[in-house]
């Protein structure tokens, strides 16, 4: 994900019910709570912002109020909001016979400081529901309030005595609060037979100097025949196509991926998912997605084995029980089917360069090596290991960056997560070549693709995450479409790239909308990429 590791807190994602070509499309745009918490009248100075539970109702003399804050990104040009609903997932215990959601005028409160001593005042009631006592979820209709992009704050209360409701918060592992907008998008414009060759603008002088975008060149049309993968999942010709869909959302990843495939018109051969710590995977849903004969897929499983500890501790063997448990699970549940495994993607963001911190670049390399060798010793023979960098100039120029590489003997693919801004003149604006090879100083760092092909010429390159966002004050469909138009011709000039995996989210941790369909023009441009025959690789 762009510029940071996978966030546990909620953000936004998209799941859609796509219409037919040339017709309007109805989507469900889901936004997670950016802030949530609850206050307790009997504990007026207590803060519950870090809790994975939200409580609303009365118990004895205590009145508890749940607060929710959602920041809704623009659903795109020409899009209308049909309705809006807030959904909460019951965490435990029975629900009261009535719950009320009220509007809150203040949007400045934060979950870290919220308490009964300073909680914001409640406004008018928006929706009252009477759920079944054992209902899995509770949904409030907020269509009268939420009609467009903006920040919305609500409170949930109950007057029922001694039956407080308990819901999962944004800190929970699943079932986090969501604001779901049903939106209607205009008909997509059919893709042009030949996209315009454009050169995105150079970033202004106030941003770090960057490599000027390369002018698109026409790719030589080719139709790969009988492209297959070898034991390391390297295609004999062509490029593997994949996606991590529904990022930063509560939408199930398999559901989000199927929607992504429906919109883009191609099965994502690489299905990218994320796990951490003691989680066991592949999950049943992941296994089902890679057991579909009509839509052949392989997994790219991202694992933070060091979650809750330090890289140095993993390297010393402190988490061997965790590694062994997962190894046994994989052998038992996934057999010998090949899959990609990324170990702690984007490590740069978590490096603490101080010697002895346990989180230095060398500690990362040691953690990676130990995990790979341990899994192989445990008999896991079907994992293809990927190291995935961030491609952010600040880190690439750091003196410790080169120490991250774990070694050719434990790395099968060299990967990168990289993103571009489609805003003309904006920071990190550029074409696909710029996305893969940008630099602020070639003497310090020659550009990521140049570095990879020079230092590791025998390793295939996996673009493990890529995406395009538009930071323009008003999103312009042509902007993303122009960047997408550079992908195919410039990809043809980078033969070491053997995998291309899009990261799709309506709102990442920096507020970027990386959906490929936020405008009809963007979707048309992206569908042109997806339709290219170079991605016809058989597993």
């Amino acid at each position: 994900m762009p510029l940071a590791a996978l966030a546990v807190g909620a953000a936004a994602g998209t799941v859609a019910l796509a219409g037919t070509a040339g017709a309007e499309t109805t989507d469900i745009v889901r936004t997670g709570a950016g802030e949530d918490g609850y206050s307790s009248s009997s504990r007026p100075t207590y803060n519950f912002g870090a809790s994975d539970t939200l409580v609303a109702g009365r118990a004895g003399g205590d009145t508890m109020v749940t607060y929710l804050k959602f920041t809704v990104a623009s659903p795109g040009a020409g899009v209308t909001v049909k309705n809006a609903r807030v959904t909460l997932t019951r965490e435990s215990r029975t629900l009261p016979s009535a719950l009320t959601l009220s509007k809150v005028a203040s949007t400045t409160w934060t979950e870290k400081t919220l308490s009964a001593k300073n909680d914001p005042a409640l406004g008018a009631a928006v929706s009252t529901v009477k759920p079944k006592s054992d209902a899995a979820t509770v949904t409030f209709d907020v269509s009268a309030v939420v009609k467009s992009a903006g920040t919305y704050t609500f409170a949930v209360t109950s007057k029922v005595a001694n039956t407080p409701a308990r819901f999962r918060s944004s800190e929970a592992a699943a079932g986090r609060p969501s604001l779901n907008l049903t939106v209607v998008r205009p008909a997509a414009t059919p893709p042009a037979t030949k996209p315009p060759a454009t050169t995105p603008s150079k970033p202004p002088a106030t941003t770090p100097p960057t490599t000027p975008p390369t002018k698109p060149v026409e790719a030589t049309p080719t139709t790969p025949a009988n492209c297959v993968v070898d034991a390391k999942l390297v295609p004999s010709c062509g490029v593997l196509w994949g996606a991590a869909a529904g990022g930063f959302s509560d939408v199930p990843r398999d559901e989000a991926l199927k929607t992504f495939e429906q919109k883009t018109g191609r099965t994502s051969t690489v299905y990218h998912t994320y796990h951490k710590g003691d989680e066991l995977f592949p999950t049943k849903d992941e296994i089902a997605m890679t057991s579909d004969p009509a839509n052949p897929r392989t997994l790219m499983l991202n694992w933070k084995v060091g979650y809750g500890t330090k890289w140095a501790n993993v390297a010393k063997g402190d988490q061997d029980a965790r590694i062994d448990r997962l190894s046994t699970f994989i052998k038992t549940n996934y057999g010998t089917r090949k899959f990609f495994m990324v170990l702690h993607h984007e490590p740069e963001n978590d490096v603490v360069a101080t010697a002895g911190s346990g989180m230095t670049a060398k500690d990362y390399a040691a953690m990676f090596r130990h995990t790979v060798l341990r899994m192989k010793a445990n008999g896991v023979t079907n994992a293809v290991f990927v190291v995935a960098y961030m491609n952010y100039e600040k880190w690439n120029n750091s003196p410790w960056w080169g120490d991250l590489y774990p070694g050719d003997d434990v790395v099968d693919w060299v990967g990168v997560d990289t993103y571009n801004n489609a805003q003309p003149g904006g920071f990190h604006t550029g074409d696909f070549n710029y996305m893969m090879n940008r630099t602020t100083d070639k003497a310090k760092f020659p550009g990521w693709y140049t570095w990879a092909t020079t230092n590791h010429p025998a390793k295939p390159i996996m673009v493990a995450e890529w995406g395009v966002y538009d930071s323009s004050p008003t999103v312009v469909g042509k902007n993303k479409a122009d960047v997408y138009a550079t992908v195919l011709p410039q990809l043809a000039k980078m033969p070491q790239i053997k995998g291309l995996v899009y990261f799709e989210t309506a709102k990442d941790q920096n507020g970027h909308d990386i959906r490929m369909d936020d405008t009809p023009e963007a979707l048309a441009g992206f569908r042109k990429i997806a339709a290219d025959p170079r991605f016809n690789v058989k597993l």
Side-chain angles (χ1 to χ4, degrees):
M1 273 141 278
L3 307 188
L6 178 65
V8 177
T14 304
V15 61
L17 305 173
T20 58
E24 290 183 336
T25 302
T26 301
D27 291 355
I28 306 298
V29 179
R30 301 186 181 182
T31 301
E35 304 274 353
D36 60 3
Y38 70 95
S39 63
S40 167
S41 64
S42 66
R43 294 161 290 177
T45 61
Y46 278 47
N47 170 259
F48 304 95
S51 173
D52 60 2
T53 303
L54 301 169
V55 185
R58 297 167 58 191
D62 191 6
T63 298
M64 289 156 284
V65 180
T66 282
Y67 290 87
L68 305 161
K69 184 191 295 184
F70 302 94
T71 300
V72 179
S74 171
V79 176
T80 58
V81 177
K82 190 175 181 181
N83 59 57
R85 293 178 172 85
V86 170
T87 296
L88 302 175
T89 301
R90 181 169 64 91
E91 191 270 336
S92 65
R93 303 182 186 178
T94 58
L95 294 170
S97 57
L99 286 159
T100 298
L101 182 139
S102 302
K103 187 176 180 181
V104 174
S106 172
T107 60
T108 59
W109 62 271
T110 68
E111 62 181 25
K112 293 182 179 180
T113 60
L114 180 72
S115 69
K117 194 173 181 179
N118 63 11
D119 55 5
L122 276 60
V126 178
S127 176
T128 296
V129 297
K130 297 182 178 180
K132 293 182 178 180
S133 61
D134 60 349
T137 60
V138 174
T139 296
F140 301 92
D141 190 333
V142 294
S143 304
V145 176
V146 181
K147 298 180 181 296
S148 60
T151 299
Y152 299 91
T153 296
F154 301 102
V156 180
T157 59
S158 175
K159 295 181 180 180
V160 180
N162 299 320
T163 315
R166 297 176 69 86
F167 300 107
R168 296 177 184 175
S169 78
S170 60
E171 280 69 32
R176 300 184 289 268
S178 63
L179 173 56
N180 308 323
L181 274 62
T182 301
V183 300
V184 178
R185 302 186 187 280
T189 304
T193 56
K194 180 179 178 181
T198 59
T199 302
S201 304
K202 183 178 179 180
T206 55
T207 62
T210 57
T211 302
T214 302
K215 184 179 179 180
V217 295
E218 291 298 327
T220 302
T222 58
T223 303
N226 301 318
C227 293
V228 295
V229 297
D230 64 13
K232 294 295 185 182
L233 294 176
V234 181
S236 58
C237 55
V239 179
L240 291 170
W241 175 264
F248 298 97
S249 76
D250 285 331
V251 182
R253 282 296 173 94
D254 56 336
E255 179 184 336
L257 186 71
K258 289 177 181 178
T259 298
F260 180 90
E261 292 175 341
Q262 185 182 40
K263 288 184 175 183
T264 59
R266 177 182 286 276
T267 296
S268 295
T269 306
V270 179
Y271 173 29
H272 194 180
T273 66
Y274 301 80
H275 298 281
K276 60 183 183 293
D278 289 321
E279 294 177 0
L280 292 175
F281 54 87
T283 65
K284 290 182 179 180
D285 289 339
E286 290 166 353
I287 293 172
M289 287 288 281
T290 57
S291 304
D292 180 0
N295 299 284
R297 305 180 184 92
T298 190
L299 289 169
M300 182 156 66
L301 299 167
N302 206 313
W303 188 31
K304 290 191 173 181
V305 61
Y307 183 78
T309 184
K310 295 181 178 181
W311 293 330
N313 294 339
V314 176
K316 288 189 299 184
D318 290 356
Q319 295 300 320
D320 282 357
R322 174 181 286 178
I323 298 171
D324 296 347
R325 183 166 173 256
L326 179 66
S327 298
T328 300
F329 185 87
I330 290 172
K331 290 189 295 180
T332 302
N333 294 276
Y334 210 58
T336 59
R337 280 185 284 175
K338 296 289 184 178
F339 66 93
F340 293 106
M341 175 168 276
V342 181
L343 295 178
H344 202 118
H345 73 306
E346 302 178 3
E348 297 98 320
N349 206 52
D350 296 316
V351 166
V352 179
T354 305
S357 68
M359 294 294 286
T360 66
K362 290 182 178 179
D363 291 328
Y364 170 79
M367 175 277 297
F368 193 109
R369 290 190 60 81
H370 180 82
T371 303
V372 172
L373 295 175
R374 183 83 182 184
M375 292 185 71
K376 289 182 176 181
N378 288 337
V380 177
T381 59
N382 51 336
V384 176
F385 291 97
V386 183
V387 59
Y389 296 96
M390 285 182 74
N391 196 23
Y392 191 51
E393 297 92 322
K394 174 183 177 181
W395 304 134
N396 296 342
N397 294 340
S398 297
W400 48 258
W401 190 83
D403 294 334
L404 289 167
Y405 192 72
D408 283 348
D409 58 326
V410 292
V411 173
D412 297 311
W413 288 59
V414 182
V416 64
D417 297 353
T418 185
Y419 295 82
N420 258 18
N421 185 2
Q423 177 190 13
F427 178 67
H428 274 174
T429 293
D431 53 13
F432 185 75
N433 180 69
Y434 169 78
M435 186 188 301
M436 291 301 303
N437 233 8
R438 61 181 170 235
T439 178
T440 57
D441 185 344
K442 286 187 177 182
K444 290 183 177 179
F445 190 76
W448 194 90
Y449 183 82
T450 300
W451 168 83
T453 55
T454 301
N455 290 273
H456 306 286
K459 298 295 181 183
I461 289 175
M462 172 69 74
V463 184
E465 292 179 12
W466 74 283
V468 182
Y469 58 91
D470 184 359
S471 291
S472 303
T474 300
V475 174
V476 178
K478 181 178 180 296
N479 291 350
K480 272 192 183 180
D482 284 350
V483 179
Y484 290 150
T486 69
V487 173
L488 294 177
Q490 293 177 359
L491 180 62
K493 303 298 182 181
M494 301 181 189
Q496 204 159 316
I497 294 177
K498 301 298 183 181
L500 193 64
V501 181
Y502 198 83
F503 185 84
E504 184 256 359
T505 178
K507 183 182 178 184
D508 72 358
Q509 67 271 52
N510 295 306
H512 298 146
D513 186 340
I514 315 178
R515 290 174 296 175
M516 72 296 166
D517 65 330
D518 58 339
T519 67
E521 296 92 338
L523 179 59
F526 193 85
R527 284 179 64 88
K528 180 177 175 61
I529 302 172
D532 194 86
R534 78 190 71 190
F535 301 114
N536 297 342
V537 179
K538 296 179 182 179
L539 293 174

